[in-house]
Amino acid sequence: ANGATVPVLVIGTGYGGSVAALRLAQAGINVEMVEMGLDWSTLPPMTGVGEGNVFCRSSQPGARAYWLRTKSKAPVSNFFSFPIDSEISKFTGILDAEEFAGITVYQGRGVGGGSLVNGGMAVTPKRERFASILPSVNADEMYNTYYPRANANLGVGNIRQAWFDTAECYQYSRVGRKHAQRSGFNWTFVPDVYDWNYMEAEQAGTVKRSALDTQVLYGNDAGKKSLPKTYIAQALATGKVNISTLHRVTNITTATGGYRVTIEEINTSGDVVATKNVTAGKVFCAAGSVGTSKLLVKMKATGQLPNLNGEVGKGWGDNGNVMVARANHLWDPTGKLQSTIPCSGIDNWEAGGAFAEVTPLPVGIETYASMYLAVTNTQYRAQFTWNASTGKVDLSWQTAWKQDSINKAKTIFDKINQKEGTIYRTDLFGGSKQWQDGLTYHPLGGVVIDKATDNYGRVAGYTGLYAIDASLLPNGISCNPFVTITALAERNIEKIIATDL
Ligand code: FAD
């Protein structure tokens, strides 16, 4: 409520925020969480399109699919060159396609953050790569304690390999494996937080289908162990955590007893209906790489937190994301039933700087397409800056930088195409583009550990102000990020509870 004083305020309910809330609550501290999106567990099933589901199918985005847009903006924008985006009504939906000058950054909105919309791929980076990922963090502690803790609490599991070899819905992955291995690449299974027993039951037809009913990007009605089923459920069960939804933090400044935080309450059309001020003893920024960076850049530039250092807003990267599809021969169908949850990848990181997930194109008909999302080892980093004339934060990303990621991904796919006698699809991303190079799913950095903060996320210049999300991660992390975000948050919050509270 307006004027309230709270011991701890956590901004955002994604991975970093959920870990912080759970551990603080277990330490006996009352935690107030602020989330700009909805609590999706309170929404009734839809009527009409998507009847009976809470969440939209990826093939049928409606109002609930997008954060305050009037037209969908799907990562695969065309099919057989035909544009597939459609008009939708403006609503505080689940997927934000946030547009900066050079790049669209996709993020989840609502209680659970990115866990609501992501593929659930739960990858722990190879240990020998860790020193280049987080050079200032003790690898022994991470691999002995915090990665196992994160994996256990997130509910990470593996596909049953014997089932994988015959399941109709993973034919596309088996084709991906065959092509990768014939070209001499290292193909690996990828763990996931989807309930694999439930997945098998979906294929068998004994339960309601979700992953096998094209659900993923706009939410998932069953099967996926997103944060509201794991960390957030545990945090709420302590009785010490409260979450205010449709509340968006706009300002943080110092005040007697800690920080004064300004929060706008919005309605489901995005209009501001109330503005509140809260005093918090400690503030944890967990609004995601973009959200946390935008907030702190604005606070420094507008003089509300003038002691933030010059690293705030710097070191932002896209984890080198590019998407591509190959057109297979007619004797290599990928299957008309495809699970939205990827389970495998091609690892050419050491030799070519690319790790590519074999991803589905779940449109309900045979497409003969093999799709991939590549994470690449690009060195390009952008900076967030305050634009006083627009009152917004800009990002200095350059579209041309993606060519480096494309080149790295081509170390895999040019070779496979040559071996298989196949070509890239040009009908999926608009124009005759072969590569989806205009987006990222993996925003990282902006408030980088040991630069804008100390080695545990304590923001430089201010006592009791922390960053505890993807904004801390300094570099291309060689795989999907949420396990590392979670493990680093577990490490940092343990230290902070022991020494600062
Ligand atoms: P987030 O999870 O982004 O949470 C931040 C939260 O803060 C959000 O709920 C947001 O609404 C809220 N917020 C933001 N600003 C404010 C504000 N001012 N006031 C109040 N609340 C605010 N990663 C993987 O590891 N594996 C995958 O398979 C994978 N697939 C992905 C697929 C898609 C389509 C997307 C978009 C992402 C995917 N990711 C994947 C990335 C992963 O989801 C993110 O890296 C992760 O969610 C980031 O965690 P976080 O804690 O930093 O913040």
Side-chain angles (χ1 to χ4, degrees):
N2 189 25
T5 297
V6 299
V8 171
L9 190 83
V10 176
I11 307 168
T13 58
Y15 293 91
S18 301
V19 170
L22 172 62
R23 301 305 175 203
L24 288 161
Q26 286 175 334
I29 298 157
N30 287 317
V31 179
E32 191 64 37
M33 299 184 86
V34 186
E35 168 55 54
M36 69 195 263
L38 285 161
D39 177 356
W40 290 96
S41 71
T42 64
L43 270 80
M46 298 182 289
T47 51
V49 176
E51 177 93 42
N53 285 335
V54 171
F55 300 109
C56 301
R57 299 185 176 99
S58 39
S59 49
Q60 294 171 317
R64 291 184 184 187
Y66 281 91
W67 180 257
L68 303 176
R69 293 186 81 90
T70 52
K71 192 176 178 191
S72 65
K73 191 173 172 65
V76 174
S77 59
N78 295 64
F79 195 58
F80 295 116
S81 296
F82 186 77
I84 52 179
D85 281 318
S86 55
E87 315 248 303
I88 52 177
S89 32
K90 196 174 161 194
F91 185 72
T92 46
I94 199 162
L95 184 68
D96 193 351
E98 188 170 359
E99 293 180 72
F100 292 97
I103 192 165
T104 302
V105 184
Y106 284 88
Q107 297 152 90
R109 294 284 174 247
V111 174
S115 80
L116 298 167
V117 298
N118 67 32
M121 283 175 278
V123 191
T124 300
K126 287 199 173 152
R127 183 163 179 166
E128 57 269 27
R129 293 175 190 162
F130 189 75
S132 65
I133 296 168
L134 282 162
S136 65
V137 174
N138 183 311
D140 285 339
E141 286 179 9
M142 289 295 281
Y143 285 84
N144 294 338
T145 304
Y146 302 111
Y147 274 120
R149 186 176 295 172
N151 276 292
N153 281 281
L154 291 166
V156 176
N158 289 291
I159 193 168
R160 196 160 59 86
Q161 299 191 9
W163 180 74
F164 170 81
D165 282 329
T166 57
E168 181 192 355
C169 64
Y170 282 111
Q171 186 179 333
Y172 75 93
S173 301
R174 294 193 297 274
V175 170
R177 172 174 66 181
K178 180 175 73 181
H179 291 173
Q181 291 180 339
R182 282 209 289 233
S183 286
F185 289 112
N186 175 20
W187 177 92
T188 61
F189 282 109
V190 170
D192 202 280
V193 298
Y194 207 87
D195 180 335
W196 289 108
N197 291 327
Y198 191 87
M199 184 79 81
E200 290 192 24
E202 284 190 45
Q203 174 71 82
T206 54
V207 294
K208 175 187 165 78
R209 285 184 165 178
S210 178
L212 268 55
D213 190 20
T214 86
Q215 285 193 323
V216 65
L217 197 54
Y218 308 129
N220 186 282
D221 268 79
K224 195 168 76 181
K225 289 174 271 176
S226 52
L227 289 168
K229 295 186 188 167
T230 59
Y231 274 97
I232 294 174
Q234 274 195 63
L236 291 173
T238 64
K240 292 196 156 292
V241 175
N242 183 55
I243 307 177
S244 298
T245 53
L246 295 177
H247 279 64
R248 178 173 61 202
V249 171
T250 57
N251 289 290
I252 308 167
T253 191
T254 48
T256 317
Y259 295 90
R260 196 188 70 202
V261 180
T262 307
I263 305 167
E264 289 177 347
E265 182 176 359
I266 58 174
N267 62 21
T268 57
S269 308
D271 310 311
V272 177
V273 295
T275 301
K276 305 171 182 178
N277 283 301
V278 169
T279 304
K282 298 201 168 6
V283 175
F284 287 83
C285 298
S289 160
V290 174
T292 293
S293 301
K294 284 198 306 188
L295 256 178
L296 294 186
V297 162
K298 178 181 166 195
M299 292 309 96
K300 179 172 169 61
T302 57
Q304 298 181 78
L305 292 175
N307 299 337
L308 293 173
N309 76 20
E311 294 289 338
V312 166
K314 288 188 182 161
W316 185 85
D318 68 339
N319 210 20
N321 283 183
V322 282
M323 282 164 67
V324 73
R326 299 176 33 257
N328 292 322
H329 296 294
L330 294 183
W331 59 82
D332 253 348
T334 45
K336 66 178 188 198
L337 179 68
Q338 302 195 356
S339 169
T340 57
I341 300 300
C343 69
S344 70
I346 304 166
D347 193 344
N348 196 37
W349 192 259
E350 265 72 39
F355 173 73
E357 259 100 31
V358 180
T359 56
L361 184 59
V363 289
I365 58 166
E366 178 56 54
T367 64
Y368 300 96
S370 282
M371 284 278 295
Y372 307 90
L373 169 71
V375 169
T376 63
N377 193 15
T378 177
Q379 301 305 312
Y380 290 108
R381 295 292 178 271
Q383 184 178 355
F384 291 99
T385 50
W386 176 245
N387 184 332
S389 60
T390 58
K392 287 189 171 151
V393 174
D394 295 334
L395 180 64
S396 67
W397 186 262
Q398 306 294 308
T399 52
W401 291 351
K402 285 277 194 184
Q403 189 59 45
D404 182 45
S405 293
I406 292 173
N407 293 344
K408 288 182 165 129
K410 278 160 84 75
T411 65
I412 299 174
F413 301 113
D414 277 3
K415 189 166 175 195
I416 292 179
N417 274 340
Q418 197 182 9
K419 178 79 182 173
E420 300 297 325
T422 51
I423 56 170
Y424 292 108
R425 294 277 292 239
T426 54
D427 63 310
L428 300 172
F429 308 123
S432 56
K433 280 168 81 81
Q434 289 180 347
W435 295 85
Q436 169 50 288
D437 59 356
L439 63 76
T440 184
Y441 289 167
H442 300 165
L444 298 173
V447 186
V448 172
I449 190 166
D450 270 322
K451 292 193 166 158
T453 76
D454 76 351
N455 195 234
Y456 291 90
R458 300 180 182 100
V459 176
Y462 291 92
T463 305
L465 181 65
Y466 306 90
I468 190 158
D469 56 14
S471 68
L472 290 173
L473 288 179
N475 217 313
I477 64 166
S478 84
C479 62
N480 319 60
F482 76 62
V483 174
T484 297
I485 297 165
T486 306
L488 188 66
E490 288 278 21
R491 167 193 178 267
N492 292 355
I493 198 69
E494 191 173 273
K495 181 68 143 197
I496 290 162
I497 289 169
T499 57
D500 299 11
L501 291 148

